Amino acid sequence: MQQLKSQAASGTRRSPRTPSLNAHGLQLSSCRRPSVSQPAFTSVRPRHTSSSPLRPSPAERATNLRSRIVPQGLPDPAAVGLFFAPGLAALGYAFIRGKGNLKNGLSHLLTEVSQGYFQPDVGGKNIPVAQGDLSDLAGDQPLFKALYQWFLDSGGVFKLVFGPKAFIVVSDPVVVRHILKENVFNYDKGVLAEILEPIMGKGLIPADLDTWRVRRRAVAPAFHRQYYEAMSAMFARCAGRSAEKLEAAVAAGGGSAVVDMEAEFLSLGLDIIGLGVFNYEFGSITSESPVIKAVYGVLKEAEHRSTFYLPYWNLPLADVLVPRQAKFKRDMRVINECLDGLIRLAQETRQEEDAEALQARDYSKLRDPSLLRFLVDMRGEQFSNVQLRDDLMTMLIAGHETTAAVLTWTLFCLAQNPQAEARVLAEVDGVVGDRMPTLDDIKSLPYLRCCLGESLRLYPQPPILIRRALGPDTLPAGLRGDPEGYPIGKGADIFISVWNLHRSPHLWKDPDTFRPERFFEPHHNPEFGDKWAGYRPDSLKGGSALYPNETAADFAFIPFGGGARKCLGDQFALFESTVALATLLRRFNFRLAGSAEEVGMATGATIHTANGLMMRVTRRTPPPSPAAAGAQQQQQGAGKVAAAV
Ligand code: HEM
């Protein structure tokens, strides 16, 4: 199997980065500009007619995506004026200490800070501080890759100090299990909640624990079997639309087209999440609308905000003085009006029932099978319209780019692994044939499911989860840790590095290699003793879980988090990805149009490509479907019988 180790990560470069956050967690934004040139694609690409940033042409889209990746160069001057005087003083200090060289100066500042100046007392005194030159943070690689090196050097629990803040970085499954499951209610989302609150209000992801308890209990029952049946049909319909669009591009290109598949998956993901969550047809695969524009605007702003330490947008008049804040406000108004309208409509047609009765509805006959319909119709639920809107907004943002990223990286990995690709195709041809894939088909596609798991292992969305301790706690030792554990205090900020866990040499064989079959094989590291149970595929067979998950891996694999605050949309996203890939892979061949290095990797709201996933798409001639082959055999058999008679 091909090593992916540095393929995607290399090839893009040069600009400082800061940590950033997305809907689900911390994004270690590289904030860098790719220096590689776009491959010189000469063949026909599908054209978008608009110059809107939302329905971009491929060239526009690459620029837009990059501008989403790179936090838009310099911040707003007004914002700088409002906030950065102390920062500039610190930089001046850094400059002097660094003898005139800013990078050295930063290194001095960060190193001195790491040695204890300005550090708030939140315990963790026996936690090793990452050794080395913290100017690595201003170097060439994404921050989460720098964290990986420190993890290898310093172990599964270490402290990272920069600016006025100290963060405890956790990359050990024993400690992660403790935080996400065993002592879950001692933690909230900390800095993530501060950033997301203006966008998602008290939606499930940033919600405080009291709000979260009530809303989780209300929203979770909406994801039920009948809902997934209806959703699978919708996934197939939307994926069919994407296929038609690709067909047209291939036909226009005389048999092949170079298409940015990442952009296609973003459109597909938006259409699906709109229909699944509030039965709203964005139609973004084929069109554009002010609402789509506003959604992308808000996503972009969320990403931009996450690259700043200081929430300047909360200052009085920020939305008047800072142009991008004014735009953000306008975008929010457009989305809120749309959501309010949908909520109003759902309320006008409300048919109250108990949760069990709602789950037993005949979803095949419902014109609106969405989550919104379920939530509004549920008897006895007390919630305000604002709360409902926050929940919808949260799911819209949580389920869009994340799923598109999974599809993007799975296709990227398959294109470089012909054996894995051949195995997936054989599976899809044998199971789905020319039909639309169904929910039941997913059960018979184990290898495709593992490919999705493997893509999520290598490219977790997000690569870091954030927590803040609400009270004192003692983190367990984990592998080779202090046997006494690590006492921490209230307010301690924690980064759970999903990237480190997923690529840890202590937890996985050949951690950087794309090898989906690993999820069929048990794996254990005896060094953990009985602290970590290892990866046990058998534990999936007995349960209802179809995809590798955190329980089977005992928290070494946490693409959807784990414990009480685990993602609510995990099955939605995985079913969607399976149906979409089965639909597209059956009909088209996808080859990288340039090299893997040219694809590049960058982080923003998710880990995405730096330059788009440019693929040469051609029609695939699949073998006859099993049904067609069966019919053909029957005909031949009948022919033989007739001849014999
Ligand atoms: C591949 C796609 C997705 C990935 C990788 C993903 C990942 C995650 C992760 C890691 C968390 C936990 C965050 C934390 O613990 O801090 C989370 C939470 C959440 N996700 Fe997803 N997600 C995906 C798709 C979706 C979809 C499609 C929806 C909705 C339809 C959704 C809704 C949510 C919600 C509501 C939460 C908050 C759960 C809670 O706190 O109770 N996600 N997601």
Side-chain angles (χ1 to χ4, degrees):
M1 289 289 168
Q2 195 163 347
Q3 290 281 327
L4 293 178
K5 194 167 185 169
S6 54
Q7 286 171 342
S10 60
T12 61
R13 289 304 155 246
R14 324 273 184 254
S15 78
R17 85 185 70 71
T18 43
S20 70
L21 306 144
N22 86 342
H24 291 100
L26 180 81
Q27 292 302 329
L28 300 159
S29 171
S30 58
C31 309
R32 58 198 175 174
R33 295 173 203 284
S35 66
V36 289
S37 54
Q38 281 293 107
F41 302 116
T42 48
S43 57
V44 175
R45 302 180 191 179
R47 292 265 167 242
H48 298 294
T49 47
S50 160
S51 61
S52 146
L54 301 168
R55 300 299 316 141
S57 69
E60 284 174 318
R61 183 229 164 268
T63 316
N64 289 333
L65 191 59
R66 254 173 278 147
S67 71
R68 285 197 291 116
I69 298 161
V70 181
Q72 298 84 50
L74 292 172
D76 306 287
V80 175
L82 285 169
F83 246 115
F84 285 92
L88 289 174
L91 275 180
Y93 165 78
F95 190 72
I96 293 161
R97 294 282 294 149
K99 300 191 176 59
N101 173 319
L102 185 58
K103 191 173 168 191
N104 285 346
L106 267 176
S107 151
H108 276 288
L109 180 65
L110 290 168
T111 307
E112 291 190 9
V113 161
S114 77
Q115 286 161 359
Y117 301 98
F118 318 127
Q119 204 170 325
D121 184 16
V122 288
K125 296 215 175 348
N126 63 339
I127 296 178
V129 175
Q131 292 301 317
D133 190 349
L134 291 182
S135 65
D136 287 355
L137 290 178
D140 276 350
Q141 53 183 344
L143 180 55
F144 59 78
K145 298 202 87 193
L147 295 188
Y148 187 71
Q149 194 50 52
W150 280 317
F151 152 57
L152 295 182
D153 297 343
S154 310
V157 181
F158 66 86
K159 204 160 32 176
L160 178 67
V161 190
F162 55 100
K165 293 286 309 170
F167 293 91
I168 298 164
V169 181
V170 172
S171 320
D172 184 298
V174 177
V175 189
V176 172
R177 190 181 61 214
H178 176 85
I179 297 167
L180 291 186
K181 186 176 168 192
E182 290 154 359
N183 201 15
V184 54
F185 296 120
N186 189 48
Y187 296 92
D188 71 4
K189 302 281 174 92
V191 62
L192 179 70
E194 285 161 18
I195 286 175
L196 292 180
E197 200 271 339
I199 298 169
M200 298 182 181
K202 285 182 178 254
L204 276 168
I205 289 180
D208 59 274
L209 284 181
D210 288 341
T211 310
W212 172 84
R213 275 196 186 89
V214 176
R215 292 313 294 155
R216 175 97 186 188
R217 216 180 36 238
V219 178
F223 292 89
H224 56 89
R225 166 86 205 184
Q226 296 266 42
Y227 172 70
Y228 285 132
E229 288 280 0
M231 288 303 105
S232 302
M234 181 268 283
F235 300 157
R237 265 198 325 276
C238 290
R241 281 201 313 233
S242 291
E244 277 161 29
K245 191 173 158 195
L246 289 182
E247 287 285 2
V250 169
S256 91
V258 173
V259 179
D260 180 353
M261 286 308 297
E262 186 178 46
E264 293 310 315
F265 288 141
L266 281 166
S267 296
L268 176 62
L270 184 59
D271 282 3
I272 286 180
I273 204 75
L275 288 165
V277 175
F278 33 76
N279 200 35
Y280 182 78
E281 179 64 85
F282 281 110
S284 73
I285 292 173
T286 50
S287 63
E288 64 177 273
S289 77
V291 183
I292 300 176
K293 272 187 193 170
V295 168
Y296 278 92
V298 165
L299 285 170
K300 193 165 162 175
E301 177 59 19
E303 197 160 287
H304 175 80
R305 288 180 176 197
S306 68
T307 60
F308 281 84
Y309 273 132
L310 301 167
Y312 68 86
W313 51 89
N314 283 341
L315 286 180
L317 297 182
D319 55 355
V320 179
L321 296 175
V322 185
R324 62 177 307 128
Q325 296 318 312
K327 177 177 180 319
F328 170 71
K329 209 173 157 189
R330 281 197 306 276
D331 286 341
M332 282 298 289
R333 200 178 308 126
V334 170
I335 301 174
N336 284 343
E337 274 168 16
C338 173
L339 292 180
D340 286 342
L342 293 167
I343 292 171
R344 225 177 10 256
L345 199 68
Q347 279 168 338
E348 281 162 14
T349 51
R350 184 176 194 195
Q351 289 184 319
E352 228 182 323
E353 288 189 271
D354 294 334
E356 294 75 36
L358 289 176
Q359 290 175 349
R361 278 176 172 175
D362 183 352
Y363 270 68
S364 65
K365 300 215 171 84
L366 286 187
R367 285 187 55 217
D368 174 4
S370 69
L371 294 176
L372 171 61
R373 178 81 273 159
F374 186 102
L375 295 175
V376 167
D377 286 355
M378 190 141 58
R379 175 165 294 139
E381 276 305 324
Q382 301 295 325
F383 51 80
S384 67
N385 281 8
V386 172
Q387 178 63 58
L388 193 52
R389 196 176 71 195
D390 289 347
D391 289 334
L392 300 181
M393 184 73 152
T394 300
M395 288 190 270
L396 170 66
I397 292 181
H400 170 224
E401 282 202 359
T402 44
T403 316
V406 177
L407 287 166
T408 300
W409 291 115
T410 309
L411 201 60
F412 173 79
C413 291
L414 285 175
Q416 293 169 86
N417 289 274
Q419 281 175 330
E421 190 191 39
R423 193 166 164 184
V424 168
L425 289 175
E427 197 177 77
V428 171
D429 289 340
V431 173
V432 183
D434 297 330
R435 287 184 292 104
M436 291 290 209
T438 64
L439 194 57
D440 273 342
D441 288 336
I442 293 174
K443 288 191 202 130
S444 311
L445 297 168
Y447 194 70
L448 177 51
R449 297 198 308 261
C450 287
C451 288
L452 291 166
E454 185 68 339
S455 140
L456 271 164
R457 189 183 65 79
L458 287 169
Y459 301 97
Q461 318 291 342
I464 294 228
L465 302 180
I466 287 196
R467 292 294 186 272
R468 180 175 290 157
L470 296 170
D473 190 12
T474 300
L475 301 178
L479 182 69
R480 299 178 207 159
D482 187 331
E484 301 294 314
Y486 302 105
I488 58 169
K490 179 178 171 180
D493 278 312
I494 296 178
F495 291 175
I496 296 174
S497 173
V498 188
W499 177 276
N500 287 357
L501 271 181
H502 285 191
R503 292 186 182 236
S504 166
H506 309 301
L507 306 172
W508 306 98
K509 219 170 104 192
D510 302 328
D512 293 325
T513 305
F514 178 77
R515 205 174 67 81
E517 39 282 273
R518 75 173 67 245
F519 289 116
F520 299 131
E521 304 155 3
H523 184 67
H524 189 246
N525 178 353
E527 259 202 276
F528 276 95
D530 58 5
K531 286 199 248 177
W532 177 60
Y535 176 71
R536 298 147 302 141
D538 277 358
S539 69
L540 291 171
K541 284 186 193 142
S544 58
L546 285 172
Y547 297 82
N549 64 18
E550 78 287 359
T551 312
D554 198 11
F555 286 78
F557 178 65
I558 52 163
F560 296 98
R565 296 204 76 164
K566 184 178 171 178
C567 177
L568 262 182
D570 58 337
Q571 301 296 299
F572 185 102
L574 290 168
F575 294 161
E576 170 185 345
S577 306
T578 312
V579 168
L581 277 184
T583 305
L584 297 179
L585 288 173
R586 168 98 179 144
R587 289 169 66 170
F588 302 98
N589 295 309
F590 296 95
R591 291 282 157 267
L592 285 182
S595 66
E597 286 74 18
E598 283 168 318
V599 171
M601 183 171 76
T603 49
T606 51
I607 304 180
H608 41 75
T609 74
N611 301 305
L613 180 63
M614 307 307 296
M615 300 204 98
R616 182 167 295 284
V617 185
T618 50
R619 274 292 275 121
R620 175 169 178 259
T621 315
S625 70
Q632 207 179 359
Q633 267 174 8
Q634 265 183 4
Q635 264 180 7
Q636 281 166 359
K640 278 186 199 147
V641 174
V645 170

